[in-house]
Amino acid sequence: VSPSNADIVRSMWAAYERRGLQSILEYAAPDAEWVPYTAGGRRFATTADYRAYLDEMDRRQDVVEATLGEVREYGDSVVVSGRLRLRTHEGISDTSMHWVHRIRDGKIVYTASYPSLQQAMDAAGLG
């Protein structure tokens, strides 16, 4: 029995909790698109592009702490609600956050995060 899309996302989040943000990339397709809230509107067209951005964050010593809350599965999309805490040289922000993950053939092909559940649902085509 293959895992559900929600199971894949939960596994990815568990990897993040154990090994950090870079570990989520193991769950992504090479051509996955990334639209992280922490990037201030930047989009990354591939997992390699997003990995380079994460390396840049590490060099700046930015710290992302995300907490998994509720997980909802809608076909090939999984919407996660939780909290995001970001520590940078500019200070600390702490906010509710909602992530949209799209899965194809067992791999993440799209991830975006939004401070509003409605924005996340709209991005998933579920608004």
Side-chain angles (χ1 to χ4, degrees), residues 20-25 34 36 38 42 44 47-62 64:
L21 192 54
Q22 293 265 357
S23 67
I24 70 171
L25 304 179
W34 301 86
T38 55
R42 287 174 61 189
F44 303 94
T47 296
D49 291 343
Y50 186 49
R51 181 183 308 278
Y53 174 73
L54 294 179
D55 289 342
E56 182 183 308
M57 286 182 71
D58 284 345
R59 280 191 295 279
R60 289 192 314 259
Q61 298 182 335
D62 292 351
V64 174

Side-chain angles (χ1 to χ4, degrees), residues 24-127:
I24 70 171
L25 304 179
E26 298 165 16
Y27 291 81
D31 63 345
E33 181 180 4
W34 301 86
V35 188
Y37 179 78
T38 55
R42 287 174 61 189
R43 299 176 88 83
F44 303 94
T46 68
T47 296
D49 291 343
Y50 186 49
R51 181 183 308 278
Y53 174 73
L54 294 179
D55 289 342
E56 182 183 308
M57 286 182 71
D58 284 345
R59 280 191 295 279
R60 289 192 314 259
Q61 298 182 335
D62 292 351
V63 177
V64 174
E65 298 170 349
T67 305
L68 177 70
E70 188 175 359
V71 177
R72 300 177 200 91
E73 183 173 351
Y74 304 93
D76 67 348
S77 294
V78 177
V79 177
V80 174
S81 296
R83 293 207 63 79
L84 176 72
R85 187 172 204 202
L86 178 62
R87 288 186 284 158
T88 69
H89 68 281
E90 296 172 358
I92 297 174
S93 65
D94 187 339
T95 187
S96 294
M97 193 60 56
H98 308 275
W99 292 265
V100 175
H101 304 288
R102 276 195 210 108
I103 292 92
R104 183 181 64 232
D105 300 326
K107 291 287 193 179
I108 303 290
V109 294
Y110 174 85
T111 293
S113 49
Y114 304 91
S116 150
L117 178 58
Q118 188 61 55
Q119 289 173 300
M121 296 299 281
D122 289 347
L126 304 165

